[in-house]
Amino acid sequence: MPQLDTSTWLVTIIAMILTLFVLIQLKFHKYSYPLSPAPKTFKSTSFPTPWETKWTKIYSPLLLPQQ
Amino acid sequence: MNENLFSSFITPTMMGLPIVILIIMFPTLLFPTPTRLINNRLVSAQQWLAQLILKQMMMMHSPKGRTWALMLISLIMFIGSTNLLGLLPHSFTPTTQLSMNLGMAIPLWAGAVITGFRYKTKASLAHFLPQGTPVPLIPMLVIIETISLFIQPMALAVRLTANITAGHLLMHLIGGAALALISISPTTALITFIILILLTILEFAVALIQAYVFTLLVSLYLHDNT
């Protein structure tokens, strides 16, 4: 059986190791699966002061302290 | 007849140069590297196939086992493409060589087992003794489990070699028979030819299934050890 002729074993094994562990993996590690692009919701960095979270009557322009 | 039958399994050398190296490296040419964000059809189809296989295979592994994802996907694609290319007429199939299959099976199996020994020593040693064995049977069972462990890489290699070689041999024989029967009795030749077609369909399935089985078993050994 020609498969049992060990003179060619070294070449075959070295070629296989090169292909399987180097060449093919170089091809497959470039595969990327990005997530579909979607807009990101921004969290604002400035927070409203406690008296600005609720609109109160004192903010209407005619009621502000007159200059 | 013996000499002729096995001649397709001789490692090809052309005037002393081992062109088997080029034949083994050829399947890598069939997987182009993706360079764009949106690639062409061939690359996209291969990426889709790789993702399908990866999701199926790596689902059952722990995070430690999932570090082997690149290795396993390369393995299944390499063996699958090599086996399918071997179905072309007059081609040489590297996976019929016992040397190559041993070279694939032994390092991968040894890597899985050694990983198990390093990270989960007690659990991997515990595999040698199934739960609930009666005490007098313990020595014999440890011996049997050790033998069954060490036979795993041999079985992996020989299974792949034998399946692919046997398929190719059958196709040679039946094809030769069909050809010889044409001059004797065309009806029998037709029947033989139909058998050959069915066998070719089987060989396509076997090519893919053997790749799958090899990778699945390596994955299983990995799962046991991570």
Side-chain angles (χ1 to χ4, degrees):
Chain A
M1 240 179 73
Q3 283 104 325
L4 297 175
D5 167 30
T6 44
S7 63
T8 52
W9 275 29
L10 191 64
V11 175
T12 319
I13 292 179
I14 291 180
M16 178 277 297
I17 286 182
L18 183 66
T19 314
L20 183 61
F21 290 93
V22 177
L23 293 178
I24 282 249
Q25 292 197 9
L26 282 172
K27 302 265 176 174
F28 280 98
H29 99 82
K30 290 271 182 359
Y31 282 11
S32 69
Y33 299 100
L35 301 166
S36 330
K40 220 172 152 166
T41 51
F42 284 97
K43 277 204 251 191
S44 73
T45 46
S46 67
F47 295 94
T49 47
W51 59 86
E52 283 169 350
T53 52
K54 267 192 344 183
W55 172 261
T56 48
K57 210 165 142 211
I58 60 171
Y59 281 115
S60 95
L62 294 172
L63 290 174
L64 284 171
Q66 301 295 324
Q67 300 301 328
Chain B
M1 218 273 274
N2 235 3
E3 178 59 49
N4 209 6
L5 194 58
F6 283 102
S7 60
S8 61
F9 300 120
I10 300 176
T11 317
T13 53
M14 193 187 277
M15 299 193 295
L17 289 170
I19 55 175
V20 61
I21 299 180
L22 296 174
I23 297 178
I24 293 181
M25 291 197 199
F26 179 69
T28 58
L29 288 177
L30 302 173
F31 295 104
T33 321
T35 45
R36 303 263 187 278
L37 187 65
I38 308 290
N39 294 293
N40 59 20
R41 256 191 299 228
L42 179 64
V43 174
S44 299
Q46 287 172 352
Q47 273 189 304
W48 168 82
L49 186 67
Q51 188 173 32
L52 189 74
I53 296 174
L54 271 172
K55 271 197 342 196
Q56 192 60 33
M57 260 200 319
M58 305 315 289
M59 231 181 348
M60 67 163 182
H61 284 126
S62 60
K64 181 104 188 76
R66 285 184 192 160
T67 54
W68 280 54
L70 182 62
M71 184 72 239
L72 291 176
I73 189 76
S74 310
L75 187 69
I76 192 171
M77 290 303 206
F78 178 63
I79 300 181
S81 59
T82 310
N83 287 347
L84 285 172
L85 281 175
L87 291 171
L88 296 167
H90 294 288
S91 61
F92 171 71
T93 319
T95 37
T96 53
Q97 301 301 306
L98 189 61
S99 52
M100 180 167 124
N101 296 338
L102 278 174
M104 282 197 291
I106 293 181
L108 289 169
W109 166 85
V113 167
I114 291 176
T115 313
F117 269 7
R118 278 180 72 190
Y119 292 103
K120 289 169 41 167
T121 319
K122 264 198 291 188
S124 62
L125 281 173
H127 278 124
F128 284 123
L129 193 65
Q131 245 182 351
T133 51
V135 177
L137 279 178
I138 287 180
M140 218 187 57
L141 214 55
V142 171
I143 294 176
I144 290 178
E145 290 287 328
T146 314
I147 295 176
S148 119
L149 180 74
F150 281 98
I151 231 173
Q152 281 173 349
M154 302 299 150
L156 269 177
V158 172
R159 181 186 302 114
L160 185 57
T161 314
N163 268 301
I164 308 295
T165 311
H168 285 228
L169 271 176
L170 263 178
M171 284 205 283
H172 268 275
L173 284 169
I174 294 186
L179 194 63
L181 279 171
I182 286 178
S183 49
I184 300 173
S185 147
T187 331
T188 324
L190 188 66
I191 296 175
T192 320
F193 186 65
I194 291 176
I195 295 179
L196 185 63
I197 292 182
L198 293 174
L199 196 60
T200 311
I201 296 175
L202 176 68
E203 284 310 306
F204 270 98
V206 167
L208 297 168
I209 290 171
Q210 285 306 312
Y212 170 66
V213 166
F214 197 102
T215 312
L216 191 71
L217 285 172
V218 172
S219 159
L220 203 67
Y221 302 151
L222 185 66
H223 187 67
D224 278 345
N225 287 304
T226 46

